[in-house]
Amino acid sequence: MSLQFINVPTANSQPPAGLIVTLHGWGANAEDVASLLPLLDLPDYQFVLPNAPFPYPYSPIGRAWYDLRVENMYEGLPESRQLLIDLLQSLESTTGVPLSRTILSGFSQGGAMTLDVGSKLPLAGLVVMSGYLHPNAVTATKGEISPTLISHGRYDEAVPLQAALKARETLESLGVAVEYHEFGTGHEIDAQTLKVLRNFIVNTIA
């Protein structure tokens, strides 16, 4: 089993300045993420947008990294974790871009997967938008986790702001360089989020 993904090459067909892997949230899919790329305006970068491996229980087109229903909470997480690690390691050879120039990013459940998987690989950086920490996910020792951008809406009704504060506190306790932003928004990716994401990508890869 391997992850299906949308591959978006650089606009000019030149070798990419870096690779951005972006993970969708629970019930969304890779197409949702692809619709945001024109707003990011990063033509020199290659994007890989994986579809989560599991069906979403409430919609035929949605996907899930693992179950979030109370009776099956976190079911499928170990499988998704391994599939993502395998994908990221394989991209190094298929794209020619090393992990040290690869940024892993994600929204909501995809943000939680980013923290989980990203803490286990030598990536350039991590971007967590409206995300949260899995229980016991971050087991790295000091100095091992890449610089991390955390952004969150103060009025997020799906993932409370407290989740972002906890993630920041946990990472900072491990000596991670954390860039933190909160906005007066709900559970969404808006223009402010995309702007800080773009700046983080350019500054981190440069």
Side-chain angles (χ1 to χ4, degrees):
M1 190 176 177
S2 61
L3 293 175
Q4 304 298 305
F5 57 86
I6 297 174
N7 179 40
V8 183
T10 57
N12 55 11
S13 302
Q14 294 296 309
L19 180 66
I20 318 299
V21 180
T22 304
L23 312 178
H24 64 76
W26 196 51
N29 59 37
E31 298 282 352
D32 291 344
V33 181
S35 69
L36 297 171
L37 295 191
L39 304 173
L40 266 179
D41 186 31
L42 288 168
D44 301 334
Y45 291 78
Q46 181 171 346
F47 286 82
V48 168
L49 315 173
N51 266 314
F54 301 110
Y56 176 62
Y58 307 115
S59 152
I61 58 169
R63 307 296 299 169
W65 295 103
Y66 50 85
D67 208 331
L68 281 176
R69 292 173 294 180
V70 173
E71 65 272 22
N72 301 315
M73 188 62 81
Y74 293 118
E75 186 176 52
L77 174 56
E79 293 85 349
S80 280
R81 181 187 290 132
Q82 192 57 54
L83 285 167
L84 262 178
I85 290 172
D86 293 347
L87 174 66
L88 286 159
Q89 290 174 331
S90 73
L91 289 173
E92 201 161 25
S93 56
T94 58
T95 65
V97 181
L99 287 174
S100 61
R101 297 186 71 79
T102 299
I103 286 179
L104 180 61
S105 57
F107 175 72
S108 195
Q109 191 185 52
M113 292 301 297
T114 293
L115 277 172
D116 189 321
V117 170
S119 66
K120 298 166 176 61
L121 293 169
L123 295 156
L126 310 178
V127 177
V128 183
M129 299 171 281
S130 305
Y132 53 94
L133 274 172
H134 294 148
N136 310 316
V138 177
T139 54
T141 50
K142 276 190 185 293
E144 282 186 355
I145 301 177
S146 313
T148 301
L149 167 67
I150 295 174
S151 69
H152 216 97
R154 284 186 208 105
Y155 309 111
D156 192 322
E157 67 292 344
V159 180
L161 181 65
Q162 195 57 38
L165 298 171
K166 182 184 177 190
R168 176 174 72 170
E169 184 185 330
T170 301
L171 293 179
E172 286 179 345
S173 73
L174 291 167
V176 180
V178 178
E179 181 183 332
Y180 179 85
H181 297 267
E182 54 182 71
F183 302 115
T185 56
H187 194 64
E188 62 195 284
I189 299 177
D190 67 341
Q192 303 170 95
T193 306
L194 292 173
K195 185 178 178 184
V196 298
L197 167 60
R198 185 182 192 282
N199 291 342
F200 179 83
I201 289 169
V202 172
N203 293 336
T204 302
I205 299 282

